[in-house]
Amino acid sequence: MRLEGGFQGRVNKLVDGCYSFWQAGSFPLLEGIYTKNKKPYDIGGFFDREALQEYILLCCQNQYGGLIDKPRKSPDFYHTCYCLSGLSIAQHYYIYDTVQEDFKENQELTTIVGKVSNLIKATHPVHNISISKAKRIMSYFENSTIVNIGSNESLSSSIEIITNKNKDQEEQQ
């Protein structure tokens, strides 16, 4: 992290708001690897969470709405999305649950710079959506059967294959 408190994409580049997620989101993953391998690490995290929040809140907000990559730039959806996601990663502390093999939030270590109204919902560090939505999606696919029909099949024959498999299953029962 540079003096400004944000992340840059590579050496000799200016700090950019979108890297708030792209880089800060990797630290919970590293901590998850340390947890899974039972290796000790600093519970305070691998980056300055308060400095990143200050950079996003002070340097990336546009007075007319939206978030920007750096001062004197225009807001856009891309930078708004990833600045908000980075702000969430900086505010919330994630623990890797080795039983569920997924991340959960440790609310005791939540850090908010400024007013409590600055707090935003926890973002899953891998999927970049809320943790509750990520869990619902993973649960859905864990409880689903995937039928592999091959990539050379046309849509109509693909539907027939799936339908025929269902008919075969019904006849066997």
Side-chain angles (χ1 to χ4, degrees), residues 10-144:
R10 54 188 183 275
V11 178
N12 295 326
K13 293 284 286 179
L14 296 173
V15 173
D16 187 325
C18 68
Y19 291 109
S20 300
F21 175 74
W22 294 121
Q23 291 188 14
S26 66
F27 295 116
L29 305 180
L30 292 172
E31 291 171 358
I33 292 168
Y34 276 81
T35 301
K36 195 170 186 174
N37 294 325
K38 297 182 171 113
K39 305 234 180 205
Y41 64 92
D42 178 13
I43 194 83
F46 292 117
F47 70 101
D48 188 337
R49 297 166 60 201
E50 290 181 11
L52 182 57
Q53 289 182 63
E54 287 174 356
Y55 176 74
I56 295 168
L57 294 171
L58 298 174
C59 299
C60 293
Q61 290 192 73
N62 183 281
Q63 64 181 343
Y64 302 110
L67 293 156
I68 57 180
D69 61 342
K70 58 187 78 56
R72 294 189 299 263
K73 294 287 187 169
S74 298
D76 57 58
F77 294 120
Y78 177 87
H79 286 93
T80 298
C81 172
Y82 291 111
C83 284
L84 287 172
S85 300
L87 181 60
S88 176
I89 294 288
Q91 290 176 342
H92 301 278
Y93 191 82
Y94 303 89
I95 299 170
Y96 186 76
D97 184 337
T98 55
V99 175
Q100 292 185 352
E101 294 191 341
D102 196 16
F103 292 91
K104 64 181 183 180
E105 180 187 3
N106 180 342
Q107 294 182 345
E108 293 174 10
L109 295 176
T110 298
T111 303
I112 308 164
V113 170
K115 299 176 183 177
V116 175
S117 61
N118 287 341
L119 180 65
I120 58 176
K121 204 170 194 175
T123 298
H124 194 287
V126 174
H127 304 293
N128 194 25
I129 57 176
S130 72
I131 291 177
S132 60
K133 299 285 186 206
K135 286 183 190 233
R136 280 183 48 203
I137 291 168
M138 287 185 274
S139 174
Y140 174 83
F141 284 105
E142 285 170 358
N143 297 319
S144 297

